[in-house]
Amino acid sequence: MKFAIVVGRFYEDLAERLVAGAQGVFGGEADVFDVPGAFELPLAAQYLAETGRYDGVACLGAVIRGETDHYDYVCAETARGIMKVSLKTGVPCAFGVLTVENMDQALARTGGGKRDQGAHAAEAVITLARLKTSL
């Protein structure tokens, strides 16, 4: 099986940690594609899914709450967009986007451990891709 990672690079240090977690699960074999931020993840995931080259796409990034409503719109539309890609293409696309209040929460969910969002996204993609293959 072949997998892709698309990662929003707005928070570069978090992006690197998320990719490392996902690659740990993928065995370092997933192709990595960068986009500016979380909002761009669904379109990039759709591009990748439509190529037919990937059995799944882990969508990674981070959105940290600020002082405006921007956080709510970005989180909701990113989640909705990633799900739409999965349903439209049949290619599993996992939501590995941190939606947190602050940097401490983000760091606690990256870089290893049981709350590593990058690893969880990769695990979800693999599980769904295997399910699809088994049917």
Side-chain angles (χ1 to χ4, degrees):
M1 295 188 138
K2 183 77 174 158
F3 299 103
I5 296 169
V6 60
V7 59
R9 294 283 178 179
F10 189 81
Y11 295 101
E12 184 65 36
D13 55 334
L14 296 175
E16 287 300 321
R17 292 166 65 105
L18 288 163
V19 170
Q23 286 289 33
V25 173
F26 288 137
E29 298 293 321
D31 294 338
V32 180
F33 301 90
D34 299 336
V35 296
F39 199 76
E40 291 78 27
L41 291 170
L43 184 57
Q46 183 171 314
Y47 291 157
L48 294 168
E50 288 178 343
T51 68
R53 292 191 301 239
Y54 299 103
D55 296 293
V57 181
C59 301
L60 309 178
V63 185
I64 299 176
R65 187 178 297 277
E67 296 176 2
T68 69
D69 292 340
H70 185 257
Y71 170 91
D72 298 315
Y73 293 107
V74 172
C75 292
E77 293 308 315
T78 301
R80 183 183 350 266
I82 291 169
M83 180 56 70
K84 280 181 75 173
V85 172
S86 291
L87 295 173
K88 177 182 174 185
T89 66
V91 175
C93 296
F95 182 76
V97 179
L98 302 172
T99 55
V100 296
E101 300 292 321
N102 55 55
M103 185 60 77
D104 288 338
Q105 289 178 355
L107 292 170
R109 288 159 178 80
T110 60
K114 68 179 184 175
R115 296 186 343 179
D116 188 316
Q117 191 66 25
H120 292 317
E123 290 163 356
V125 166
I126 290 170
T127 300
L128 289 170
R130 286 181 179 156
L131 173 63
K132 182 179 177 183
T133 301
S134 73
L135 299 176

